[in-house]
């Protein structure tokens, strides 16, 4: 059985988030249409950006309004790379807020924590 992953972040402004992730990841979207932007991160992993207003239509009021918790960390993207410091610099240049600087963590990785334009936590890590 093959499993593929697509992680979708609900965002308040698709264009702002697209510009942020395109710059930070130095990657063009594989899909960029009204209502969804996607990045192919590996052969089995994608990152999606969906406006919170769009997911509200699908959720149909059966869950709390995703926009009611804007700015509250609701997920963490933990990104392994061989050059985390470069991504950290790019994140800051794109407007990320540094939460915790690059340092060796108890679990063995060196990692830095940032907040994206919607408050999602983005971590750049090296083994």
């Amino acid at each position: 059985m093959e499993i593929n992953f697509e992680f979708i972040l609900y965002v308040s402004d698709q264009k702002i988030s697209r510009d942020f992730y395109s710059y930070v990841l130095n990657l063009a979207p594989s899909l960029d249409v009204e209502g969804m932007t996607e990045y192919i991160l590996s052969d089995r992993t994608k990152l999606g950006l969906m406006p919170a207003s769009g997911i509200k239509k699908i959720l149909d009021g059966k869950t709390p309004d995703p926009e009611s918790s804007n700015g509250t960390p609701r997920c963490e993207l933990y990104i392994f790379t061989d050059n985390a410091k470069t991504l950290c610099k790019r994140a800051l240049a794109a407007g990320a807020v540094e939460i915790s600087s690059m340092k060796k963590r108890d679990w063995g990785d060196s990692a830095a924590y940032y907040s994206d334009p919607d408050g999602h936590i983005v971590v750049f890590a090296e083994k």
Side-chain angles (χ1 to χ4, degrees):
M1 172 175 61
E2 181 176 303
I3 298 175
N4 297 307
F5 294 93
E6 180 161 3
F7 300 95
I8 300 173
L9 301 178
Y10 305 147
V11 299
S12 57
D13 187 306
Q14 184 178 348
K15 181 187 179 317
I16 288 172
S17 292
R18 180 201 63 219
D19 292 350
F20 176 84
Y21 281 98
S22 291
Y23 182 78
V24 171
L25 299 173
N26 196 26
L27 190 62
S30 58
L31 174 72
D32 191 24
V33 297
E34 185 177 336
M36 180 60 79
T37 298
E38 292 180 347
Y39 298 89
I40 297 173
L41 303 179
S42 72
D43 62 339
R44 295 174 54 186
T45 308
K46 289 182 186 178
L47 171 64
L49 307 172
M50 177 186 281
S53 58
I55 193 60
K56 283 169 55 170
K57 294 175 191 172
I58 294 169
L59 299 177
D60 195 29
K62 294 180 175 96
T63 68
D65 182 343
E67 293 177 306
S68 68
S69 61
N70 280 352
T72 302
R74 300 176 305 247
C75 77
E76 176 179 302
L77 295 178
Y78 200 93
I79 301 170
F80 282 104
T81 176
D82 58 358
N83 197 347
K85 290 180 183 175
T86 296
L87 290 181
C88 292
K89 288 178 187 173
R90 294 181 72 80
L92 286 172
V97 175
E98 186 178 71
I99 305 299
S100 181
S101 63
M102 179 67 69
K103 64 182 175 182
K104 182 88 169 178
R105 303 296 171 164
D106 294 343
W107 54 93
D109 298 343
S110 290
Y113 286 70
Y114 294 86
S115 177
D116 81 358
D118 287 288
H120 301 294
I121 302 300
V122 182
V123 183
F124 302 110
E126 296 178 350
K127 288 282 185 192

PDB file of all heavy atoms in Angstrom, residues 45-74:
ATOM      1  N   THR A  45       4.810  13.889  -1.198  1.00  0.00           N
ATOM      2  CA  THR A  45       4.359  14.885  -0.224  1.00  0.00           C
ATOM      3  C   THR A  45       4.081  16.222  -0.894  1.00  0.00           C
ATOM      4  O   THR A  45       4.903  16.724  -1.653  1.00  0.00           O
ATOM      5  CB  THR A  45       5.423  15.095   0.876  1.00  0.00           C
ATOM      6  OG1 THR A  45       5.787  13.842   1.423  1.00  0.00           O
ATOM      7  CG2 THR A  45       4.888  15.990   1.980  1.00  0.00           C
ATOM      8  N   LYS A  46       2.905  16.782  -0.595  1.00  0.00           N
ATOM      9  CA  LYS A  46       2.527  18.104  -1.095  1.00  0.00           C
ATOM     10  C   LYS A  46       2.128  18.994   0.081  1.00  0.00           C
ATOM     11  O   LYS A  46       1.651  18.513   1.111  1.00  0.00           O
ATOM     12  CB  LYS A  46       1.311  18.026  -2.022  1.00  0.00           C
ATOM     13  CG  LYS A  46       1.551  17.391  -3.355  1.00  0.00           C
ATOM     14  CD  LYS A  46       0.259  17.440  -4.167  1.00  0.00           C
ATOM     15  CE  LYS A  46       0.368  16.698  -5.462  1.00  0.00           C
ATOM     16  NZ  LYS A  46      -0.922  16.734  -6.193  1.00  0.00           N
ATOM     17  N   LEU A  47       2.288  20.284  -0.126  1.00  0.00           N
ATOM     18  CA  LEU A  47       1.790  21.292   0.798  1.00  0.00           C
ATOM     19  C   LEU A  47       0.726  22.086   0.060  1.00  0.00           C
ATOM     20  O   LEU A  47       0.967  22.555  -1.057  1.00  0.00           O
ATOM     21  CB  LEU A  47       2.916  22.228   1.252  1.00  0.00           C
ATOM     22  CG  LEU A  47       2.481  23.449   2.062  1.00  0.00           C
ATOM     23  CD1 LEU A  47       1.848  23.035   3.387  1.00  0.00           C
ATOM     24  CD2 LEU A  47       3.654  24.391   2.287  1.00  0.00           C
ATOM     25  N   GLY A  48      -0.447  22.211   0.664  1.00  0.00           N
ATOM     26  CA  GLY A  48      -1.530  22.979   0.065  1.00  0.00           C
ATOM     27  C   GLY A  48      -1.866  24.198   0.909  1.00  0.00           C
ATOM     28  O   GLY A  48      -1.709  24.185   2.134  1.00  0.00           O
ATOM     29  N   LEU A  49      -2.316  25.238   0.239  1.00  0.00           N
ATOM     30  CA  LEU A  49      -2.780  26.461   0.896  1.00  0.00           C
ATOM     31  C   LEU A  49      -4.205  26.713   0.427  1.00  0.00           C
ATOM     32  O   LEU A  49      -4.445  26.905  -0.770  1.00  0.00           O
ATOM     33  CB  LEU A  49      -1.890  27.648   0.520  1.00  0.00           C
ATOM     34  CG  LEU A  49      -0.395  27.475   0.738  1.00  0.00           C
ATOM     35  CD1 LEU A  49       0.374  28.651   0.125  1.00  0.00           C
ATOM     36  CD2 LEU A  49      -0.069  27.319   2.216  1.00  0.00           C
ATOM     37  N   MET A  50      -5.155  26.664   1.353  1.00  0.00           N
ATOM     38  CA  MET A  50      -6.562  26.857   1.012  1.00  0.00           C
ATOM     39  C   MET A  50      -7.125  28.010   1.834  1.00  0.00           C
ATOM     40  O   MET A  50      -6.953  28.041   3.055  1.00  0.00           O
ATOM     41  CB  MET A  50      -7.372  25.593   1.313  1.00  0.00           C
ATOM     42  CG  MET A  50      -8.860  25.751   1.039  1.00  0.00           C
ATOM     43  SD  MET A  50      -9.838  24.325   1.547  1.00  0.00           S
ATOM     44  CE  MET A  50      -9.526  23.229   0.188  1.00  0.00           C
ATOM     45  N   PRO A  51      -7.805  28.948   1.189  1.00  0.00           N
ATOM     46  CA  PRO A  51      -8.426  30.018   1.956  1.00  0.00           C
ATOM     47  C   PRO A  51      -9.422  29.457   2.972  1.00  0.00           C
ATOM     48  O   PRO A  51     -10.192  28.547   2.667  1.00  0.00           O
ATOM     49  CB  PRO A  51      -9.152  30.849   0.899  1.00  0.00           C
ATOM     50  CG  PRO A  51      -8.458  30.534  -0.384  1.00  0.00           C
ATOM     51  CD  PRO A  51      -8.012  29.102  -0.255  1.00  0.00           C
ATOM     52  N   ALA A  52      -9.381  29.998   4.174  1.00  0.00           N
ATOM     53  CA  ALA A  52     -10.307  29.560   5.223  1.00  0.00           C
ATOM     54  C   ALA A  52     -11.749  29.738   4.770  1.00  0.00           C
ATOM     55  O   ALA A  52     -12.616  28.932   5.101  1.00  0.00           O
ATOM     56  CB  ALA A  52     -10.039  30.317   6.518  1.00  0.00           C
ATOM     57  N   SER A  53     -11.999  30.768   3.965  1.00  0.00           N
ATOM     58  CA  SER A  53     -13.369  30.982   3.485  1.00  0.00           C
ATOM     59  C   SER A  53     -13.826  29.826   2.606  1.00  0.00           C
ATOM     60  O   SER A  53     -15.010  29.483   2.592  1.00  0.00           O
ATOM     61  CB  SER A  53     -13.450  32.296   2.709  1.00  0.00           C
ATOM     62  OG  SER A  53     -12.543  32.294   1.616  1.00  0.00           O
ATOM     63  N   GLY A  54     -12.917  29.190   1.890  1.00  0.00           N
ATOM     64  CA  GLY A  54     -13.274  28.060   1.038  1.00  0.00           C
ATOM     65  C   GLY A  54     -13.595  26.810   1.828  1.00  0.00           C
ATOM     66  O   GLY A  54     -14.552  26.098   1.529  1.00  0.00           O
ATOM     67  N   ILE A  55     -12.794  26.532   2.854  1.00  0.00           N
ATOM     68  CA  ILE A  55     -13.045  25.321   3.647  1.00  0.00           C
ATOM     69  C   ILE A  55     -14.327  25.471   4.463  1.00  0.00           C
ATOM     70  O   ILE A  55     -15.007  24.487   4.746  1.00  0.00           O
ATOM     71  CB  ILE A  55     -11.836  24.942   4.536  1.00  0.00           C
ATOM     72  CG1 ILE A  55     -11.987  23.529   5.104  1.00  0.00           C
ATOM     73  CG2 ILE A  55     -11.625  25.942   5.653  1.00  0.00           C
ATOM     74  CD1 ILE A  55     -12.090  22.438   4.090  1.00  0.00           C
ATOM     75  N   LYS A  56     -14.684  26.702   4.803  1.00  0.00           N
ATOM     76  CA  LYS A  56     -15.932  26.924   5.551  1.00  0.00           C
ATOM     77  C   LYS A  56     -17.136  26.376   4.784  1.00  0.00           C
ATOM     78  O   LYS A  56     -18.058  25.819   5.368  1.00  0.00           O
ATOM     79  CB  LYS A  56     -16.120  28.410   5.854  1.00  0.00           C
ATOM     80  CG  LYS A  56     -15.240  28.888   6.983  1.00  0.00           C
ATOM     81  CD  LYS A  56     -15.192  30.381   7.143  1.00  0.00           C
ATOM     82  CE  LYS A  56     -16.491  31.078   7.298  1.00  0.00           C
ATOM     83  NZ  LYS A  56     -16.344  32.492   7.692  1.00  0.00           N
ATOM     84  N   LYS A  57     -17.111  26.501   3.459  1.00  0.00           N
ATOM     85  CA  LYS A  57     -18.215  25.981   2.641  1.00  0.00           C
ATOM     86  C   LYS A  57     -18.304  24.464   2.763  1.00  0.00           C
ATOM     87  O   LYS A  57     -19.383  23.898   2.814  1.00  0.00           O
ATOM     88  CB  LYS A  57     -18.015  26.369   1.176  1.00  0.00           C
ATOM     89  CG  LYS A  57     -18.095  27.849   0.906  1.00  0.00           C
ATOM     90  CD  LYS A  57     -17.755  28.130  -0.545  1.00  0.00           C
ATOM     91  CE  LYS A  57     -17.559  29.615  -0.764  1.00  0.00           C
ATOM     92  NZ  LYS A  57     -17.049  29.910  -2.109  1.00  0.00           N
ATOM     93  N   ILE A  58     -17.150  23.806   2.798  1.00  0.00           N
ATOM     94  CA  ILE A  58     -17.121  22.346   2.885  1.00  0.00           C
ATOM     95  C   ILE A  58     -17.528  21.884   4.280  1.00  0.00           C
ATOM     96  O   ILE A  58     -18.292  20.927   4.439  1.00  0.00           O
ATOM     97  CB  ILE A  58     -15.712  21.807   2.518  1.00  0.00           C
ATOM     98  CG1 ILE A  58     -15.419  22.104   1.040  1.00  0.00           C
ATOM     99  CG2 ILE A  58     -15.598  20.311   2.813  1.00  0.00           C
ATOM    100  CD1 ILE A  58     -13.983  21.867   0.623  1.00  0.00           C
ATOM    101  N   LEU A  59     -17.035  22.578   5.304  1.00  0.00           N
ATOM    102  CA  LEU A  59     -17.333  22.193   6.689  1.00  0.00           C
ATOM    103  C   LEU A  59     -18.786  22.455   7.059  1.00  0.00           C
ATOM    104  O   LEU A  59     -19.322  21.830   7.979  1.00  0.00           O
ATOM    105  CB  LEU A  59     -16.397  22.928   7.658  1.00  0.00           C
ATOM    106  CG  LEU A  59     -14.905  22.648   7.464  1.00  0.00           C
ATOM    107  CD1 LEU A  59     -14.090  23.495   8.428  1.00  0.00           C
ATOM    108  CD2 LEU A  59     -14.589  21.172   7.628  1.00  0.00           C
ATOM    109  N   ASP A  60     -19.426  23.395   6.361  1.00  0.00           N
ATOM    110  CA  ASP A  60     -20.862  23.643   6.487  1.00  0.00           C
ATOM    111  C   ASP A  60     -21.319  23.854   7.931  1.00  0.00           C
ATOM    112  O   ASP A  60     -22.362  23.345   8.342  1.00  0.00           O
ATOM    113  CB  ASP A  60     -21.627  22.488   5.833  1.00  0.00           C
ATOM    114  CG  ASP A  60     -23.098  22.815   5.595  1.00  0.00           C
ATOM    115  OD1 ASP A  60     -23.425  24.007   5.406  1.00  0.00           O
ATOM    116  OD2 ASP A  60     -23.915  21.875   5.619  1.00  0.00           O
ATOM    117  N   GLY A  61     -20.503  24.556   8.722  1.00  0.00           N
ATOM    118  CA  GLY A  61     -20.903  24.873  10.089  1.00  0.00           C
ATOM    119  C   GLY A  61     -20.865  23.714  11.058  1.00  0.00           C
ATOM    120  O   GLY A  61     -21.321  23.829  12.195  1.00  0.00           O
ATOM    121  N   LYS A  62     -20.319  22.582  10.653  1.00  0.00           N
ATOM    122  CA  LYS A  62     -20.294  21.399  11.527  1.00  0.00           C
ATOM    123  C   LYS A  62     -19.062  21.358  12.430  1.00  0.00           C
ATOM    124  O   LYS A  62     -18.930  20.445  13.247  1.00  0.00           O
ATOM    125  CB  LYS A  62     -20.376  20.129  10.685  1.00  0.00           C
ATOM    126  CG  LYS A  62     -21.721  20.019   9.972  1.00  0.00           C
ATOM    127  CD  LYS A  62     -21.830  18.764   9.131  1.00  0.00           C
ATOM    128  CE  LYS A  62     -23.218  18.648   8.555  1.00  0.00           C
ATOM    129  NZ  LYS A  62     -23.348  19.158   7.215  1.00  0.00           N
ATOM    130  N   THR A  63     -18.159  22.322  12.259  1.00  0.00           N
ATOM    131  CA  THR A  63     -16.986  22.469  13.123  1.00  0.00           C
ATOM    132  C   THR A  63     -16.839  23.948  13.451  1.00  0.00           C
ATOM    133  O   THR A  63     -17.476  24.795  12.811  1.00  0.00           O
ATOM    134  CB  THR A  63     -15.689  21.979  12.425  1.00  0.00           C
ATOM    135  OG1 THR A  63     -15.389  22.878  11.354  1.00  0.00           O
ATOM    136  CG2 THR A  63     -15.826  20.563  11.897  1.00  0.00           C
ATOM    137  N   PRO A  64     -16.012  24.301  14.420  1.00  0.00           N
ATOM    138  CA  PRO A  64     -15.783  25.733  14.665  1.00  0.00           C
ATOM    139  C   PRO A  64     -15.241  26.425  13.414  1.00  0.00           C
ATOM    140  O   PRO A  64     -14.548  25.803  12.608  1.00  0.00           O
ATOM    141  CB  PRO A  64     -14.744  25.738  15.792  1.00  0.00           C
ATOM    142  CG  PRO A  64     -14.910  24.419  16.463  1.00  0.00           C
ATOM    143  CD  PRO A  64     -15.313  23.456  15.380  1.00  0.00           C
ATOM    144  N   ASP A  65     -15.552  27.682  13.264  1.00  0.00           N
ATOM    145  CA  ASP A  65     -15.095  28.488  12.139  1.00  0.00           C
ATOM    146  C   ASP A  65     -13.561  28.553  12.159  1.00  0.00           C
ATOM    147  O   ASP A  65     -12.984  29.011  13.137  1.00  0.00           O
ATOM    148  CB  ASP A  65     -15.686  29.889  12.256  1.00  0.00           C
ATOM    149  CG  ASP A  65     -15.311  30.807  11.121  1.00  0.00           C
ATOM    150  OD1 ASP A  65     -14.340  30.521  10.381  1.00  0.00           O
ATOM    151  OD2 ASP A  65     -15.971  31.848  10.975  1.00  0.00           O
ATOM    152  N   PRO A  66     -12.881  28.090  11.105  1.00  0.00           N
ATOM    153  CA  PRO A  66     -11.417  28.111  11.098  1.00  0.00           C
ATOM    154  C   PRO A  66     -10.831  29.507  11.296  1.00  0.00           C
ATOM    155  O   PRO A  66      -9.760  29.659  11.855  1.00  0.00           O
ATOM    156  CB  PRO A  66     -11.052  27.571   9.712  1.00  0.00           C
ATOM    157  CG  PRO A  66     -12.256  26.898   9.202  1.00  0.00           C
ATOM    158  CD  PRO A  66     -13.430  27.523   9.885  1.00  0.00           C
ATOM    159  N   GLU A  67     -11.561  30.533  10.842  1.00  0.00           N
ATOM    160  CA  GLU A  67     -11.050  31.898  10.982  1.00  0.00           C
ATOM    161  C   GLU A  67     -11.140  32.406  12.422  1.00  0.00           C
ATOM    162  O   GLU A  67     -10.494  33.381  12.762  1.00  0.00           O
ATOM    163  CB  GLU A  67     -11.793  32.831  10.033  1.00  0.00           C
ATOM    164  CG  GLU A  67     -11.476  32.507   8.577  1.00  0.00           C
ATOM    165  CD  GLU A  67     -12.239  33.365   7.594  1.00  0.00           C
ATOM    166  OE1 GLU A  67     -13.484  33.415   7.679  1.00  0.00           O
ATOM    167  OE2 GLU A  67     -11.577  33.974   6.753  1.00  0.00           O
ATOM    168  N   SER A  68     -11.890  31.725  13.272  1.00  0.00           N
ATOM    169  CA  SER A  68     -12.021  32.185  14.656  1.00  0.00           C
ATOM    170  C   SER A  68     -10.744  31.975  15.454  1.00  0.00           C
ATOM    171  O   SER A  68     -10.586  32.550  16.523  1.00  0.00           O
ATOM    172  CB  SER A  68     -13.195  31.481  15.345  1.00  0.00           C
ATOM    173  OG  SER A  68     -12.907  30.097  15.507  1.00  0.00           O
ATOM    174  N   SER A  69      -9.824  31.184  14.922  1.00  0.00           N
ATOM    175  CA  SER A  69      -8.570  30.955  15.652  1.00  0.00           C
ATOM    176  C   SER A  69      -7.354  31.450  14.874  1.00  0.00           C
ATOM    177  O   SER A  69      -6.238  30.997  15.113  1.00  0.00           O
ATOM    178  CB  SER A  69      -8.423  29.468  15.989  1.00  0.00           C
ATOM    179  OG  SER A  69      -8.376  28.701  14.813  1.00  0.00           O
ATOM    180  N   ASN A  70      -7.556  32.390  13.924  1.00  0.00           N
ATOM    181  CA  ASN A  70      -6.423  32.941  13.185  1.00  0.00           C
ATOM    182  C   ASN A  70      -5.375  33.465  14.160  1.00  0.00           C
ATOM    183  O   ASN A  70      -5.699  34.098  15.155  1.00  0.00           O
ATOM    184  CB  ASN A  70      -6.865  34.076  12.258  1.00  0.00           C
ATOM    185  CG  ASN A  70      -7.470  33.565  10.981  1.00  0.00           C
ATOM    186  OD1 ASN A  70      -7.434  32.367  10.704  1.00  0.00           O
ATOM    187  ND2 ASN A  70      -8.033  34.454  10.200  1.00  0.00           N
ATOM    188  N   GLY A  71      -4.118  33.173  13.858  1.00  0.00           N
ATOM    189  CA  GLY A  71      -3.014  33.607  14.705  1.00  0.00           C
ATOM    190  C   GLY A  71      -2.693  32.639  15.819  1.00  0.00           C
ATOM    191  O   GLY A  71      -1.658  32.757  16.462  1.00  0.00           O
ATOM    192  N   THR A  72      -3.566  31.688  16.062  1.00  0.00           N
ATOM    193  CA  THR A  72      -3.324  30.666  17.078  1.00  0.00           C
ATOM    194  C   THR A  72      -2.648  29.485  16.394  1.00  0.00           C
ATOM    195  O   THR A  72      -3.195  28.963  15.419  1.00  0.00           O
ATOM    196  CB  THR A  72      -4.656  30.195  17.707  1.00  0.00           C
ATOM    197  OG1 THR A  72      -5.323  31.319  18.266  1.00  0.00           O
ATOM    198  CG2 THR A  72      -4.405  29.141  18.771  1.00  0.00           C
ATOM    199  N   PRO A  73      -1.466  29.060  16.874  1.00  0.00           N
ATOM    200  CA  PRO A  73      -0.822  27.911  16.229  1.00  0.00           C
ATOM    201  C   PRO A  73      -1.737  26.688  16.268  1.00  0.00           C
ATOM    202  O   PRO A  73      -2.223  26.300  17.326  1.00  0.00           O
ATOM    203  CB  PRO A  73       0.432  27.679  17.075  1.00  0.00           C
ATOM    204  CG  PRO A  73       0.680  28.971  17.762  1.00  0.00           C
ATOM    205  CD  PRO A  73      -0.671  29.591  17.966  1.00  0.00           C
ATOM    206  N   ARG A  74      -2.008  26.136  15.083  1.00  0.00           N
ATOM    207  CA  ARG A  74      -2.881  24.974  14.984  1.00  0.00           C
ATOM    208  C   ARG A  74      -2.172  23.785  14.372  1.00  0.00           C
ATOM    209  O   ARG A  74      -2.729  22.702  14.292  1.00  0.00           O
ATOM    210  CB  ARG A  74      -4.122  25.328  14.150  1.00  0.00           C
ATOM    211  CG  ARG A  74      -4.935  26.455  14.758  1.00  0.00           C
ATOM    212  CD  ARG A  74      -6.091  26.844  13.856  1.00  0.00           C
ATOM    213  NE  ARG A  74      -5.668  27.189  12.519  1.00  0.00           N
ATOM    214  CZ  ARG A  74      -5.746  28.404  11.999  1.00  0.00           C
ATOM    215  NH1 ARG A  74      -6.223  29.394  12.693  1.00  0.00           N
ATOM    216  NH2 ARG A  74      -5.350  28.636  10.782  1.00  0.00           N
TER     217      ARG A  74
END
